[in-house]
Amino acid sequence: MFDVVLRSWPLLLSATGETVLLSFASGLLATILGLVLALGQLFAVAPLRYLVEVWLYVMRGVPLLVLLFAMYFALPYTGIDLSPRVGGILVLSAYFSAFMAEIFRSAVLAVPKGQWDAARGIGFHGWRLMREVIAPQAMRLAAASYINTMIMLVKGTSLVSIIGLWELTLAGRQIVERTLASFQVFGAVALIYFLLCYGLSLGGRYLEKRFSYVH
């Protein structure tokens, strides 16, 4: 019954590598952009802060699928023609950075005001205050929500198959078209996604424990 999956396993593993690469690149860029956006919300001057908020509302309010279609079908009319891989990474990064920005901003604001005042009282200001006092506590507060968002990002990579990027979901569809074994193949695809997300969940729990020991 599952001989189709066994024969297709090398192809599924190769596609899994593409999904992991896509998830890592998108997650890294989304984290960096999310941090920048969060700092913009917290500390930027009013005009820039308003622009950041508009960007966040747009990214959170428009479905990921629509953003992918816009990038792939509308962007070429402006003279910008991106490959499916680059475009997929950019769209995933932009979309999930909006959610990460809210996580980081909320975590910073959740640090008790007494911590800010005490740090300033011993001479910590600006970047040193954020790096040595606020950021470590904010990281602990944000860890669980951040990992959940990363899990959503991994699952969101499956939508990139609609613009022709070969990854786990598209590989599964191609195997099904050739073998008609949809239950077995997509069952294997679902299992791989589950293992990837479960691994992230375990990593998140480990980070939470490390942060709780340190702080």
Side-chain angles (χ1 to χ4, degrees):
M1 180 179 180
F2 293 100
D3 57 330
V4 171
V5 175
L6 293 176
R7 291 197 304 269
S8 305
W9 200 245
L11 185 62
L12 289 174
L13 286 180
S14 178
T16 300
E18 291 293 325
T19 294
V20 171
L21 177 62
L22 179 63
S23 301
F24 177 80
S26 302
L28 179 61
L29 288 177
T31 300
I32 295 172
L33 183 55
L35 284 171
V36 172
L37 293 171
L39 293 175
Q41 282 187 294
L42 292 168
F43 305 114
V45 296
L48 184 57
R49 187 170 66 250
Y50 295 148
L51 290 176
V52 170
E53 290 176 356
V54 169
W55 171 265
L56 295 178
Y57 283 129
V58 170
M59 287 297 107
R60 295 202 305 267
V62 178
L64 177 58
L65 192 63
V66 174
L67 293 174
L68 286 167
F69 275 129
M71 181 278 301
Y72 192 69
F73 294 108
L75 203 58
Y77 286 101
T78 67
I80 302 174
D81 192 7
L82 302 176
S83 69
R85 175 176 289 175
V86 172
I89 290 173
L90 291 179
V91 171
L92 287 170
S93 303
Y95 181 78
F96 284 98
S97 69
F99 298 94
M100 291 183 181
E102 287 298 294
I103 292 171
F104 299 147
R105 182 186 67 85
S106 299
V108 170
L109 293 177
V111 176
K113 185 176 182 296
Q115 295 290 320
W116 294 78
D117 295 336
R120 291 189 181 104
I122 59 175
F124 285 16
H125 297 282
W127 174 243
R128 187 182 180 192
L129 169 64
M130 287 297 299
R131 185 184 71 247
E132 298 190 20
V133 179
I134 305 303
Q137 298 182 64
M139 288 172 62
R140 176 172 55 85
L141 294 169
S145 297
Y146 174 77
I147 292 299
N148 285 336
T149 303
M150 286 297 298
I151 289 173
M152 295 300 296
L153 188 152
V154 171
K155 293 189 289 186
T157 59
S158 61
L159 294 177
V160 184
S161 63
I162 66 168
I163 62 173
L165 179 60
W166 190 81
E167 41 69 65
L168 185 55
T169 301
L170 183 55
R173 283 165 44 194
Q174 291 174 344
I175 296 171
V176 169
E177 290 171 359
R178 188 173 66 249
T179 64
L180 301 181
S182 56
F183 175 77
Q184 298 94 319
V185 174
F186 282 124
V189 169
L191 177 61
I192 294 171
Y193 275 116
F194 171 79
L195 292 175
L196 292 176
C197 295
Y198 184 66
L200 272 176
S201 180
L202 291 179
R205 292 181 184 179
Y206 172 77
L207 288 177
E208 286 186 86
K209 289 181 181 179
R210 286 296 298 258
F211 287 145
S212 65
Y213 291 152
V214 173
H215 303 291

